[in-house]
């Protein structure tokens, strides 16, 4: 199974954290199927994470790549470098990048192209703000984000989309699972109808996913998996979510 359950550690972690996480994860994970699991640590720790997870099959990716391949971009990391290190995926356009680093849909589009050129699976993050949600603009906002991000992509590109309502991230609030399911269905329909040659591998949900709400989410047909922030920082909690996933998917 392709990537379906991704830990986004954001700006968290240390050498000690990585060791502890792996110990807790493997102690509590009750399945042998690790192929659908990915971790996006802070890039500095990729090498160490690889050592602590060994050849378990868990994929390692990054939280962001630069929108140019090389040159004068102090502090950035390119898709080529990610490929060089054997990383399999990159989050692209996470709302925290859009909000704190002013990432535009145009920049995101360039990143998607570079990821695809380097065989790094892009995980395009989209989602509406609280105000947009209250105005019932969710579908229009998501369609716009998809159109702008994908319009310059080559026809044969592969993609995972993560639907992350901004107001659900780190807040403990989530839309009801049926609503998420219908948003995911809409996302699949929009990509299929407007970009029929793009290979949309899956649509993940992100925003306050935990071991408590995992079964109600994974029971939904179009919720193919999850992108998990806070709850993924605890190896035991993440293993429990993965166990629920393996039961239901
Ligand atoms: P939380 O799981 O902490 O809400 O974060 C979600 C997220 O932003 C994953 O990318």
């Amino acid at each position: 199974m392709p990537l379906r359950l991704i830990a986004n550690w954001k700006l968290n972690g240390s050498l000690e954290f990585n060791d502890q996480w792996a110990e807790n994860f493997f102690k509590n994970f009750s399945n042998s199927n690790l192929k659908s699991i990915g971790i996006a640590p802070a890039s500095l720790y990729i090498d160490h994470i690889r050592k602590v997870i060994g050849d378990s099959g868990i994929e390692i990716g990054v939280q962001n790549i630069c929108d140019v391949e090389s040159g004068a971009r102090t502090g950035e990391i390119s898709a080529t470098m990610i490929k060089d290190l054997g990383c399999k995926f990159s989050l692209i356009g996470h709302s925290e990048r859009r909000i704190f680093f002013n990432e535009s849909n145009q920049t995101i589009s360039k990143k998607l192209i570079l990821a695809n050129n380097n065989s790094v699976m892009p995980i395009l993050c989209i989602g509406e703000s609280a105000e947009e949600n209250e105005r019932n603009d969710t579908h229009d906002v998501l369609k716009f984000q998809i159109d702008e991000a994908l319009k310059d992509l080559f026809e044969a590109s592969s993609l995972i989309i993560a639907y992350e309502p901004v107001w659900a991230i780190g807040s403990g609030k989530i839309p009801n699972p049926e609503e998420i399911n219908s948003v995911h269905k809409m996302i699949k329909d929009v990509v299929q109808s407007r970009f029929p040659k793009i290979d949309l591998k899956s649509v993940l949900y992100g925003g306050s996913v935990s071991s408590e709400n995992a079964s109600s989410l994974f029971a939904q047909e179009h919720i193919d998996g999850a992108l998990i922030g806070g709850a993924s920082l605890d190896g035991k909690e993440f293993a429990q979510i993965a166990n629920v996933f393996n039961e239901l998917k």
Side-chain angles (χ1 to χ4, degrees), residues 37-57:
I37 296 179
I39 304 176
S43 306
L44 280 176
Y45 290 116
I46 287 170
D47 202 33
H48 185 246
I49 291 287
R50 191 165 276 137
K51 284 193 192 109
V52 299
I53 63 169
D55 56 4
S56 62

Side-chain angles (χ1 to χ4, degrees), residues 6 8 10 91 94-96 125 164 168-172 206-209 227-232:
I6 296 174
N8 175 11
K10 306 188 181 182
L91 307 185
H94 191 283
S95 60
E96 287 151 18
C125 302
E164 300 204 308
I169 294 176
S171 66
S208 298
V209 175
L227 177 56
I228 305 161
S232 76

Side-chain angles (χ1 to χ4, degrees), residues 163-209:
Y163 169 51
E164 300 204 308
V166 178
W167 53 274
I169 294 176
S171 66
K173 291 188 256 173
I174 64 168
N176 88 44
E178 286 81 21
E179 259 171 59
I180 300 172
N181 194 52
S182 73
V183 168
H184 283 207
K185 167 99 175 52
M186 182 277 291
I187 291 170
K188 290 176 185 181
D189 290 344
V190 167
V191 174
Q192 164 118 73
S193 63
R194 301 195 193 185
F195 307 96
K197 300 266 175 57
I198 288 182
D199 181 15
L200 178 60
K201 300 279 185 200
S202 52
V203 180
L204 314 179
Y205 169 74
S208 298
V209 175

Side-chain angles (χ1 to χ4, degrees), residues 2-3 44 114 129 138 152 157 166 178 184 196 202:
L3 277 172
L44 280 176
L114 286 175
S129 67
T138 298
D152 295 326
S157 303
V166 178
E178 286 81 21
H184 283 207
S202 52

Side-chain angles (χ1 to χ4, degrees), residues 35-76:
K35 296 269 180 254
S36 55
I37 296 179
I39 304 176
S43 306
L44 280 176
Y45 290 116
I46 287 170
D47 202 33
H48 185 246
I49 291 287
R50 191 165 276 137
K51 284 193 192 109
V52 299
I53 63 169
D55 56 4
S56 62
I58 297 179
E59 300 284 12
I60 298 175
V62 294
Q63 300 169 15
N64 179 41
I65 51 170
C66 188
D67 64 334
V68 299
E69 196 93 49
S70 63
R73 292 293 188 280
T74 302
E76 291 282 16

